[in-house]
Amino acid sequence: MNRSTLSLGGAVAVLAVLTAAASLTGGDDSVAAPKGEVKTLPVQRSTVVCPAPSPSEFATTVYTSFTPPTTGSGDGGEAGSAQLVPTAGKATPLAPLKATGKAATATTENPDAPALIGTADGPLAPGWAVQQTTVVDSGPGRGLLGTSCVTPDSEFWFPGASTAAGRQDYLHLVDPDEAPAVVDIELYGKDGLLKASSGDGITVPGKGAKPVLLSTLVADKAADLTVHVVVRSGRVGAAVQATDTSLGTDWLPPAAEPATSLVMPGIPADATSVHLVAYATGTDDADLTLKLATATGLISPAGHETMHVKAGMTATADLGDITKGEPGSLVIGSSDVHTPVPVVAGLRITRGKGTKQELAFLPATPAIGARATVADNRDKGTTVALMAVGKDTSVKVTSAPGPSGGTSVSKTVIVKANSTLSVQPAPPSGSSGGYAVTVEKLSGGTLYASRMLALPLGGVPMFTIQPMPDDRGMVEVPQAGSDIAILDK
C-alpha cells in the first residue's frame, strides 16, 4: 500500500513539473512538444551587485540603470521592476526603472556610500545593465573609476592585481542572498601560489559586503598578481579597486573564464603603456602567441610575438605604446595546437605622461552572442571598440536616452574580419546628460567589444574601460508537454 501511494505521489509531482514547464514556455498541455525542441525566451529575473564606491571625501558617484527593449519580454502592460537597494540598513531604492529604453540615474557624494544589490524582473530583466561611475577630483586616489555592476557567481579571476608598495588593492565581495557566503581567496605571483595568512574561509554576511585589502593577506610585495576567488557556499559578486599613488585609480573587472584563445578589445590609440598579465590555470606550461588586431588586420608586435607562462604562475610583458596612435585589440592564442593550455589574462593601460597619468584595466572579455549594453555614456567622452574574429561582422550600435528623454539613434557598421573598429556613438537626439549604448551583433564572425569613457580633468586624461560581454538577456528553455501515460508507469 505504501509503495503504491509513493509511486502515485511521485507521478503526480512529475506531472506537475511537466505542466509547469509547459506553461513557462507557452506549450500546449494537450500535446507534448517534439523531443529536444527548445524555445529562446527572455529571462524573467536579473540580479547584480555594485561594490561600495571610493571612500574619498572628493568623490562623486553616478549610478545608471538601463534595460534595452527586448522582443517578447512583455506586451507593454506587464508589470516589472528594476532597482538598487543598499546593503547597509533600510533605505530608499536607487535609480528605479519605469520602462525599457530609457535610463534612470542616481548620484551620491557620500564617502560612506554602501554596496548595492540590484534586482530586475518582468520585462525590465532581459539585458538589464547598471554602471557605477566615480570621479575623484583630488587627493591620492584621484581618477575616474568605472565598473559595470557584477552578476553574482561562484568563481572569479583577476589578473593584474598587486600588493606592491604604492598600490592599494581592495577585493570587494558582495552577497546578494539572505544566507552568508563563504569565500576562499588565492593569490598567484611569478613563483606560484603565495601563502595567504587569512585568505581561506572568509565569511561575507547575507545581504552584505566585505572589502578585503589584499596586502593584509600576504607578506609578499608583489607587483603583479592573479587573484582567484572561489565561493565555497552561496554566491557573491566580486571586483578589485586598485589605487596607484602615481597612476591614479580604477576598478579591475573580472576576466573571462580560462581559455586557450582570448581577446582584449579596445586598447586606446593614445595608450602610453600597456602591461600584460597572464596566468596558466592548467598543470602544464602555456606557450602563447600575441597578435594586435589593428584597423586593417592582425600584426605581430615586434619583440612580443610570443609569451611563455609557467603552470600555476603569473607572467607579465611590458608592451609599451603598442598601438602606435591607432586603436587595437590584443589577441592571445596558443602556439601548441595539439595541447593548448588555458590561461586568464588582462591589461593595465596607462594614458598621459609624468604627473598627468591615469590607469585603467582591460581584462580578456567574453564574446557577444547577441547583444551587450553599457549604461553610462557621455557626449564626446564615449568610444566603443569592436573586434571581429573570423568573418566580417555587421553590428548595430544604438544610443538610448537618459532621464531627460529624447529619441534613440542607431547606426549599423561593418567590422572587418580580424580587425578593430573604433566607434564614437552619436548621443540620442533631443537628450542631454548620460545615455546608454547597446551593441547588437547582426551577422558575421565572433564579436568582442568594450567601451572607454574619457572625462579629462585638470590636464589628467582620466578614463575607464568597461568590457561588454553578452547580456544573456535570452535563455533557451526546453519545451515539455504533459503525458498522462506516465501514471501507468
Side-chain angles (χ1 to χ4, degrees):
M1 182 69 180
N2 286 341
R3 281 186 191 172
S4 299
T5 303
L6 289 173
S7 241
L8 179 59
V12 171
V14 171
L15 177 59
V17 170
L18 292 176
T19 304
S23 299
L24 174 64
T25 62
D28 185 345
D29 288 349
S30 63
V31 180
K35 185 177 180 180
E37 184 177 342
V38 297
K39 270 191 173 183
T40 301
L41 299 174
V43 300
Q44 291 298 302
R45 186 175 179 84
S46 296
T47 300
V48 299
V49 296
C50 307
S54 171
S56 172
E57 297 282 348
F58 307 102
T60 300
T61 299
V62 177
Y63 301 97
T64 307
S65 173
F66 177 78
T67 298
T70 298
T71 302
S73 63
D75 59 5
E78 182 183 347
S81 66
Q83 60 188 21
L84 304 167
V85 179
T87 54
K90 295 182 178 180
T92 303
L94 281 73
L97 274 184
K98 299 184 183 301
T100 63
K102 181 180 177 181
T105 63
T107 303
T108 182
E109 296 182 352
N110 180 6
D112 298 319
L116 303 176
I117 299 171
T119 56
D121 57 30
L124 297 178
W128 184 46
V130 180
Q131 170 79 13
Q132 176 179 302
T133 307
T134 302
V135 174
V136 182
D137 57 19
S138 61
R142 68 102 180 99
L144 175 63
L145 302 93
T147 182
S148 296
C149 295
V150 183
T151 300
D153 208 338
S154 59
E155 184 180 33
F156 298 89
W157 292 93
F158 298 96
S162 177
T163 56
R167 273 281 288 268
Q168 189 177 62
D169 287 19
Y170 277 91
L171 172 65
H172 288 252
L173 303 169
V174 185
D175 181 356
D177 302 318
E178 295 288 350
V182 180
V183 176
D184 293 337
I185 304 171
E186 301 166 345
L187 306 179
Y188 294 91
K190 61 183 179 62
D191 297 318
L193 180 65
L194 276 61
K195 184 178 180 181
S197 59
S198 56
D200 289 338
I202 292 175
T203 299
V204 184
K207 297 288 185 180
K210 188 175 186 66
V212 179
L213 181 60
L214 296 183
S215 61
T216 63
L217 300 181
V218 293
D220 306 64
K221 297 298 182 184
D224 298 286
L225 289 173
T226 299
V227 179
H228 187 204
V229 176
V230 181
V231 184
R232 286 193 206 173
S233 63
R235 58 177 184 160
V236 300
V240 173
Q241 188 181 81
T243 301
D244 188 295
T245 54
S246 301
L247 300 176
T249 182
D250 205 352
W251 289 101
L252 170 57
E257 294 181 358
T260 57
S261 60
L262 299 170
V263 175
M264 282 143 276
I267 305 172
D270 61 350
T272 52
S273 174
V274 177
H275 184 72
L276 170 63
V277 180
Y279 171 79
T281 61
T283 56
D284 297 320
D285 293 359
D287 288 302
L288 308 177
T289 59
L290 306 184
K291 301 282 188 181
L292 183 69
T294 68
T296 56
L298 292 172
I299 62 171
S300 296
H304 297 288
E305 298 87 352
T306 61
M307 183 178 187
H308 182 76
V309 186
K310 294 182 179 179
M313 301 182 188
T314 296
T316 63
D318 285 313
L319 307 179
D321 57 344
I322 185 174
T323 52
K324 304 294 183 183
E326 66 175 67
S329 302
L330 190 67
V331 181
I332 293 180
S334 176
S335 58
D336 188 342
V337 296
H338 299 293
T339 56
V341 176
V343 297
V344 292
L347 301 175
R348 185 187 72 226
I349 299 169
T350 305
R351 297 172 68 224
K353 296 181 180 179
T355 60
K356 304 293 187 180
Q357 296 185 77
E358 168 74 325
L359 62 76
F361 297 92
L362 176 61
T365 303
I368 297 175
R371 183 182 65 179
T373 295
V374 63
D376 182 14
N377 299 276
R378 315 291 173 88
D379 189 15
K380 299 180 181 178
T382 292
T383 302
V384 174
L386 305 170
M387 193 271 163
V389 174
K391 299 178 181 178
D392 291 1
T393 302
S394 177
V395 181
K396 182 180 179 182
V397 181
T398 301
S399 301
S404 65
T407 304
S408 295
V409 174
S410 298
K411 68 176 177 180
T412 299
V413 297
I414 301 297
V415 187
K416 295 295 184 181
N418 305 316
S419 69
T420 299
L421 178 65
S422 181
V423 178
Q424 289 189 314
S429 61
S431 181
S432 61
Y435 60 94
V437 170
T438 297
V439 169
E440 296 176 80
K441 176 187 164 185
L442 302 180
S443 64
T446 305
L447 178 66
Y448 298 86
S450 71
R451 187 286 312 265
M452 184 179 80
L453 178 63
L455 300 177
L457 182 65
V460 178
M462 291 187 180
F463 75 115
T464 183
I465 301 174
Q466 273 68 66
M468 296 181 68
D470 191 85
D471 66 17
R472 295 183 292 183
M474 305 293 286
V475 62
E476 290 187 346
V477 180
Q479 289 206 62
S482 58
D483 183 1
I484 302 301
I486 193 173
L487 298 177
D488 295 329
K489 295 179 181 179

